[in-house]
Amino acid sequence: MLDERDRKILDLLQIDAGISVSDLAGRVALSVSACSRRIQRLEDDGYIARRIAVLDRGRMGVPTTVYALVKTAHHSDEWIEIFRKAVSDIPEIVEAHRLTGNYDYILKVVLPRVEHYDVVYKAIVRKVELFDVSASISMEVLKSGTGVPVRYAQ
């Protein structure tokens, strides 16, 4: 069971996983050793899945985001695995979700420029049969992040 200090630790680590344990301990009113033990427990219990570096997309040369909505006529386990492998093998596809509603999947694609979307599109359709793909270009980021709310954690 998490307490408020655990939630605060998780919240602060989401903002900056590189924060020193001593700074983190000071912000949650714990000793360094007690804070370190809590972080280890949160990792062992699976609340912290991994620690990553979030790269600046502009500096990495991929400032453009395209969302591709995919429809398929196939829903077999075999087709899904082929599709999963196809999208996993394309580094520009940074997220893929199976959906309810009119489309089956949505892909978040990061690109150097809009024109590069055709390269990604062709890479997908070479590997897997699709019924329809509709792409939308993100014009402006209103909110972006990797953090999740911590208040619901048990």
Side-chain angles (χ1 to χ4, degrees):
M1 183 68 96
L2 297 182
D3 63 18
E4 284 308 307
R5 279 192 176 131
D6 291 330
R7 286 183 180 84
K8 183 71 172 168
I9 289 169
L10 291 170
D11 218 16
L12 291 168
L13 285 173
Q14 283 190 110
I15 295 166
D16 180 8
I19 188 173
S20 72
V21 176
S22 61
D23 286 346
L24 188 57
R27 293 174 120 194
V28 296
L30 287 172
S31 70
V32 172
S33 60
C35 186
S36 181
R37 283 191 303 273
R38 281 187 186 237
I39 294 168
Q40 186 62 53
R41 179 179 49 81
L42 292 166
E43 287 177 342
D44 292 345
D45 291 349
Y47 291 99
I48 299 171
R50 67 183 194 261
R51 298 189 201 190
I52 62 168
V54 178
L55 305 180
D56 182 284
R57 288 184 36 202
R59 299 215 32 146
M60 298 309 298
V62 287
T64 304
T65 303
V66 172
Y67 291 93
L69 291 160
V70 176
K71 285 185 184 180
T72 181
H74 306 283
H75 297 281
S76 70
D77 290 343
E78 180 183 351
W79 184 92
I80 292 169
E81 280 309 308
I82 293 168
F83 182 70
R84 184 186 315 268
K85 173 97 171 80
V87 298
S88 295
D89 288 347
I90 300 170
E92 291 88 350
I93 300 174
V94 296
E95 288 185 35
H97 301 266
R98 191 165 56 91
L99 304 174
T100 62
N102 295 329
Y103 288 91
D104 297 304
Y105 299 90
I106 187 169
L107 309 176
K108 180 178 179 183
V109 186
V110 297
L111 305 166
R113 60 192 180 288
V114 171
E115 295 80 9
H116 192 78
Y117 173 70
D118 191 49
V119 173
V120 174
Y121 172 81
K122 287 176 181 175
I124 296 169
V125 298
R126 265 190 230 106
K127 296 178 180 186
V128 64
E129 183 182 346
L130 303 175
F131 179 74
D132 182 46
V133 180
S134 176
S136 295
I137 302 163
S138 172
M139 299 297 291
E140 177 184 10
V141 176
L142 302 177
K143 181 178 181 181
S144 178
T146 58
V148 298
V150 298
R151 68 176 173 250
Y152 303 106
Q154 300 295 318

